Amino acid sequence: MDPFPLRLALDDHAGVVLRRLEADDWPIELTLARVEDVPTWTMYPADLDEDGARLRAQRNVRAADAAHGIRYVVDEGGEALGTVGFGKSEDGFEVFYALRPEARGRGLVTSAVSALSAWLGAQGERVVWLSTLDGNAASEAVAVRCGFTRFRSGTHVDGRPLTVWTLRLHSESIAD
């Protein structure tokens, strides 16, 4: 696998790029944790403070350096609109995302997930995973728009029910 790209352009959104999250991008981590619905639907902790946001950004940088996954800032003209990325597990890569409310409804997450999935497919990955907590209609819509299909029901680490989605990048079948 090639090294994770530092930047990816979103061709259908002029001026928007995905750029690797760096340690000094901790303010977007703090901002997203303070958006009322982001901790509800993601792994962002609701009680995140500045020290925690700095630590979270540093952990993401270390994960990218170790090729375990990468988080990108959705950047429009130098303004951080949110984050997207993927992490590696024994089953492959899972994509994730969160946007500030004022950046939603523009197709940014759909474009970002599609760009990340295309890059992973070009690296020979057969499947990409996405998990949505039950009731998160917006994320389910992203999954459908990006071509993911429901794979199975599951349980989040905190006990909440979720749906696991897959996107087949090549014709091989996926294991149960």
Side-chain angles (χ1 to χ4, degrees):
M1 175 175 279
D2 291 338
F4 300 146
L6 299 178
R7 295 174 72 86
L8 289 168
L10 297 184
D11 295 334
D12 48 350
H13 294 281
V16 179
V17 297
L18 306 181
R19 62 172 176 76
R20 178 182 141 142
L21 182 137
E22 299 295 347
D24 61 353
D25 287 313
W26 64 267
I28 189 60
E29 297 287 290
L30 184 61
T31 297
L32 289 170
R34 292 185 173 172
V35 173
E36 184 176 344
D37 65 344
V38 169
T40 301
W41 301 121
T42 71
M43 296 291 287
Y44 277 92
D47 61 349
L48 193 69
D49 60 11
E50 181 177 329
D51 289 339
R54 287 178 183 276
L55 180 61
R56 186 176 167 90
Q58 291 165 359
R59 277 196 321 256
N60 281 291
V61 168
R62 286 193 303 272
D65 289 345
H68 293 260
I70 189 165
R71 186 177 301 266
Y72 292 95
V73 173
V74 180
D75 184 300
E76 183 173 42
E79 182 180 1
L81 303 178
T83 64
V84 300
F86 53 78
K88 188 172 184 161
S89 72
E90 68 248 10
D91 296 323
F93 288 93
E94 182 173 359
V95 295
F96 49 82
Y97 43 83
L99 284 181
R100 294 178 9 216
E102 60 272 21
R104 298 174 187 169
R106 298 172 47 194
L108 294 169
V109 168
T110 299
S111 293
V113 168
S114 294
L116 295 177
S117 298
W119 185 84
L120 287 165
Q123 301 306 303
E125 291 297 317
R126 298 179 329 183
V127 65
V128 175
W129 303 90
L130 187 154
S131 295
T132 58
L133 290 165
D134 289 3
N136 188 344
S139 278
E140 290 175 359
V142 167
V144 169
R145 282 193 302 271
C146 291
F148 285 77
T149 57
R150 291 177 194 268
F151 182 67
R152 64 176 170 82
S153 295
T155 305
H156 190 273
V157 295
D158 65 8
R160 294 180 288 169
L162 58 76
T163 299
V164 178
W165 303 74
T166 61
L167 175 63
R168 294 176 191 231
L169 302 173
H170 299 285
S171 61
E172 296 88 11
S173 64
I174 53 177
D176 289 337

